[in-house]
């Protein structure tokens, strides 16, 4: 059996992310594309596979409706209130069209709107997981999107590729399918390099220099191939393979799993992380940076040790106890972790031995700056 087909055959739960470039055209939402997608996902659903759909398109749909009404183009690229307003208008249209499209195939859908802030708290994260599990047990197809209207840090997740990767840890999917306008990954941007070669298989996504490979974005989405490969790298850490494939081609998702001529399959890592560590590392953007010395790097990367104040050379940013920080050595990011100290406290005890901590800032219940259970090395940030 073909390796891709074997993957699909073993899958019991699939998370599919579809981008704006697939779902929209100049006239707003492309209902034909939505019905085609609903049909493909419904056939997988009929095989007993749980389907979770992470969908873009709300902003583009709202922008088109207001352009028709005002007879002028609505610019949302650098205008957060306009983007959120467009999303508020378009979200209802998006779900209405999805409900109709899946209804043609006898499927029931549910709208799930989440924010990154809502997933920062472990209890809310687990509550969202429980809700999704109940929907899936009822054989409902959840359609997930960010709650753009109330997001306060840009659109918080930044793009639905990031949201899709975060949702993997939420639902425990077996495969991540990322439908885009390009038919897979190329060794360089094909829009700028005619000699770019397609990559049907990526065995080690962490070894790629994705910043060099991906120097462009699509015009209607907010991600581009960079965010898709970063999401795939995060999925690989969870042990989940990713298929990046065109959602606009004349083939089905099932056909893309039958041979290597469609899209790019990205294999998971051999050594995976727990869902809790995955959540810890990616629930938020780092609030600051801790620079460590070479000895601390060896202890962290090779020895699996906690980070002690003695190994810290510098502290940047302003953060409180328990916030996520980036760990850096010689300009290179090693990972992320939850700091046991505030930035002010760490600045005062940086480079000091454990016995000196209490003398400097008073009694504390912990010796580690970041405990090894609360950090993820080689994080895809």
């Amino acid at each position: 059996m073909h390796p891709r087909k074997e993957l699909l055959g073993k899958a019991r739960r699939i998370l599919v992310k579809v981008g704006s470039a697939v779902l929209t055209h100049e006239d707003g939402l492309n209902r034909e594309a939505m019905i085609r997608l609903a049909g493909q996902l419904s056939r997988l659903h009929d095989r007993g596979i749980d389907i979770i759909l992470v969908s873009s398109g709300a902003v583009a749909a709202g922008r088109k409706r207001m352009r028709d009404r005002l007879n002028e183009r609505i610019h949302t690229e650098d205008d957060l209130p306009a983007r959120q307003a467009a999303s508020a208008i378009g979200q209802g249209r998006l779900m209405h069209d999805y409900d109709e499209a899946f209804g043609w195939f006898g499927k029931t859908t549910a709208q799930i709107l989440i924010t990154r802030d809502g997933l920062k708290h472990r209890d809310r994260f687990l509550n969202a997981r429980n809700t999704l599990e109940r929907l899936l047990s009822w054989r409902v197809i959840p359609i997930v999107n960010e709650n753009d209207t109330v997001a306060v840090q840009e659109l918080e997740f930044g793009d639905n590729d990031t949201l899709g990767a975060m949702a993997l840890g939420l639902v425990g999917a077996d495969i991540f399918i990322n439908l885009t306008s390009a038919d897979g990954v190329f060794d360089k941007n094909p829009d700028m390099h005619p000699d770019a070669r397609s990559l049907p298989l990526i065995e080690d996504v962490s070894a790629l220099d994705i910043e060099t490979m991906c120097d462009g974005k699509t015009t209607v989405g907010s991600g581009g191939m960079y965010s898709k490969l970063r999401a795939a790298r995060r999925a690989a850490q969870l042990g989940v393979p990713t298929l990046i494939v065109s959602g606009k081609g004349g083939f089905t998702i099932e056909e893309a799993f039958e041979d290597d001529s469609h899209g790019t399959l990205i294999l998971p890592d051999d050594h995976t992380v727990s869902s809790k560590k995955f959540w810890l590392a990616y629930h938020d953007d780092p609030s600051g940076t801790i620079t460590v010395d070479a000895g601390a790097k060896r202890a962290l990367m090779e020895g699996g040790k906690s980070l002690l104040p003695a190994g810290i050379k510098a502290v940047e940013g302003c953060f409180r106890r328990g916030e996520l920080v980036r760990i850096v050595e010689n300009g290179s990011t090693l990972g992320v972790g939850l700091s046991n100290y505030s930035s002010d406290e760490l600045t005062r005890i940086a480079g000091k031995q454990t016995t000196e901590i209490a003398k400097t800032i008073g009694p504390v219940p912990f010796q580690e700056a970041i405990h090894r259970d609360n950090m993820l090395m080689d994080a895809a940030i």
Side-chain angles (χ1 to χ4, degrees):
M1 181 181 291
H2 193 281
R4 288 193 182 188
K5 194 170 184 178
E6 187 176 4
L7 277 177
L8 184 62
K10 293 179 178 179
R12 293 296 171 263
R13 181 169 294 180
I14 294 176
L15 190 144
V16 180
K17 181 266 172 180
V18 59
S20 298
V22 175
L23 291 177
T24 62
H25 49 36
E26 290 184 359
D27 293 325
L29 290 174
N30 186 338
R31 295 193 66 191
E32 181 178 326
M34 295 178 74
I35 293 172
R36 181 173 181 270
L37 174 63
Q40 293 187 37
L41 297 184
S42 295
R43 284 192 292 275
L44 292 173
H45 198 254
D46 288 339
R47 293 170 54 171
I49 299 174
D50 291 339
I51 300 294
I52 302 94
L53 178 61
V54 175
S55 178
S56 302
V59 174
R63 190 166 52 212
K64 168 61 171 59
R65 296 201 74 181
M66 291 310 298
R67 184 181 68 184
D68 291 345
R69 179 166 182 173
L70 300 177
N71 199 28
E72 64 181 55
R73 181 176 176 78
I74 303 299
H75 296 281
T76 60
E77 289 77 7
D78 300 314
D79 187 341
L80 179 59
R83 186 172 175 84
Q84 292 178 314
S87 175
I89 296 166
Q91 190 66 47
R93 173 52 55 188
L94 180 69
M95 279 307 303
H96 174 271
D97 288 355
Y98 266 134
D99 203 45
E100 281 195 344
F102 279 100
W104 283 107
F105 304 96
K107 304 300 177 183
T108 301
T109 62
Q111 182 182 44
I112 303 292
L113 293 176
I114 61 178
T115 64
R116 199 171 199 172
D117 183 66
L119 298 184
K120 283 173 62 174
H121 304 280
R122 189 67 178 170
D123 56 344
R124 295 186 190 177
F125 178 91
L126 295 175
N127 187 60
R129 173 185 286 176
N130 291 338
T131 300
L132 283 162
E133 288 291 347
R134 182 58 57 89
L135 288 169
L136 293 170
S137 73
W138 289 348
R139 301 298 292 153
V140 172
I141 297 178
I143 299 176
V144 181
N145 203 345
E146 183 164 14
N147 193 353
D148 294 345
T149 307
V150 300
V152 292
Q153 278 188 355
E154 293 301 321
L155 289 182
E156 290 208 276
F157 285 102
D159 56 75
N160 274 349
D161 298 309
T162 302
L163 173 58
M166 194 67 185
L168 286 174
L170 193 62
V171 300
D174 302 308
I175 298 177
F176 182 27
I177 301 175
N178 201 327
L179 299 177
T180 181
S181 57
D183 193 12
V185 181
F186 291 76
D187 60 350
K188 45 193 170 183
N189 191 336
D191 293 334
M192 301 180 180
H193 305 279
D195 61 336
R197 295 182 301 107
S198 63
L199 304 174
L201 178 68
I202 296 175
E203 296 187 26
D204 184 4
V205 65
S206 66
L208 297 180
D209 182 0
I210 63 175
E211 290 191 15
T212 300
M213 289 174 59
C214 310
D215 51 3
K217 290 185 176 183
T218 58
T219 56
V220 294
S222 58
M225 193 55 71
Y226 177 89
S227 69
K228 289 166 181 57
L229 284 173
R230 184 180 61 182
R233 186 178 168 195
R234 294 181 178 184
Q237 292 179 321
L238 269 180
V240 179
T242 297
L243 179 66
I244 299 177
V245 65
S246 173
K248 304 177 79 170
F251 55 87
T252 67
I253 292 173
E254 290 172 284
E255 289 170 343
F257 274 96
E258 293 177 354
D259 60 68
D260 294 335
S261 63
H262 302 303
T264 300
L265 178 65
I266 301 171
L267 298 182
D269 292 346
D270 293 331
H271 303 288
T272 60
V273 302
S274 66
S275 60
K276 184 175 181 180
K277 276 210 170 187
F278 187 88
W279 167 82
L280 177 153
Y282 302 128
H283 75 280
D284 201 1
D285 290 325
S287 300
T289 299
I290 296 175
T291 300
V292 303
D293 59 27
K297 175 185 177 181
R298 286 193 298 272
L300 295 173
M301 303 298 289
E302 299 172 18
K305 303 294 186 180
S306 299
L307 175 61
L308 300 177
I312 297 176
K313 296 173 61 177
V315 178
E316 298 177 40
C318 182
F319 51 88
R320 296 170 295 180
R321 291 185 181 187
E323 290 195 314
L324 189 71
V325 295
R326 189 188 304 257
I327 306 169
V328 171
E329 190 269 338
N330 198 27
S332 298
T333 298
L334 306 180
V336 294
L338 301 181
S339 176
N340 282 334
Y341 297 93
S342 68
S343 53
D344 178 64
E345 291 169 330
L346 278 182
T347 299
R348 295 168 62 190
I349 63 176
K352 295 186 181 298
Q353 297 300 316
T354 301
T355 55
E356 300 177 273
I357 297 175
K359 298 176 184 178
T360 305
I361 61 174
V364 291
F366 27 69
Q367 298 176 345
E368 306 88 359
I370 303 177
H371 194 277
R372 63 183 181 182
D373 291 343
N374 292 329
M375 67 171 68
L376 178 64
M377 295 293 100
D378 196 32
I381 56 175

